Amino acid sequence: MSEPFERASMRDVDTMATMSAFVPVLILGLVMAAWFGFQALQLRAERDAMRDLMTSQDKQVQESKKLRDSLDAIARGTAQLAEAGNASARLVVEELKKRGVTINQNPPASSGEAVAPAPAK
């Protein structure tokens, strides 16, 4: 009675001994390569989209810099008038100070970078 069980178990051992891990490892490697390729393509597409977005915003950034420079020039002129004794200019400068706006008397050197405004106190 025990002989059929022994023969069956010996066949299973022989079958398992002849199987190799090559096919599962190959499939795993192909799946990983496909996944990394897909991720690389997605990242490249996102990078290109970000580059296009930054390029499309360049014009707005330049226009805002021009506007800020002109507003700074107006504020400097108003501050100079206030120092010269103009009462209306003095009132404007005081109101700006109350609202936390600082007027820089020296124009910033144009380095091409936008200068962040000073935090309000």
Side-chain angles (χ1 to χ4, degrees), residues 2-29:
S2 65
E3 191 172 317
F5 291 114
E6 289 177 17
R7 287 183 189 167
S9 64
M10 291 301 273
R11 271 187 267 144
D12 290 341
V13 170
D14 288 341
T15 305
M16 291 183 86
T18 59
M19 295 177 77
S20 72
F22 176 74
V23 174
V25 171
L26 177 66
I27 292 172
L28 180 65

Side-chain angles (χ1 to χ4, degrees), residues 36-107:
F36 290 145
F38 171 75
Q39 288 294 317
L41 288 174
Q42 286 297 106
L43 288 172
R44 183 179 178 128
E46 288 179 16
R47 183 186 65 196
D48 291 342
M50 291 285 286
R51 186 177 297 137
D52 292 343
L53 183 64
M54 287 179 61
T55 302
S56 69
Q57 290 180 347
D58 281 343
K59 184 177 179 182
Q60 289 89 358
V61 169
Q62 293 301 322
E63 288 176 2
S64 68
K65 185 176 179 344
K66 286 179 188 177
L67 179 63
R68 180 170 178 102
D69 290 343
S70 66
L71 290 174
D72 285 343
I74 291 171
R76 277 192 299 277
T78 305
Q80 288 173 354
L81 285 174
E83 288 177 6
N86 187 320
S88 298
R90 191 176 307 129
L91 179 65
V92 170
V93 170
E94 288 174 9
E95 287 298 319
L96 287 174
K97 284 182 183 178
K98 286 180 187 176
R99 290 179 170 86
V101 177
T102 57
I103 299 173
N104 186 5
Q105 293 294 337
N106 302 324

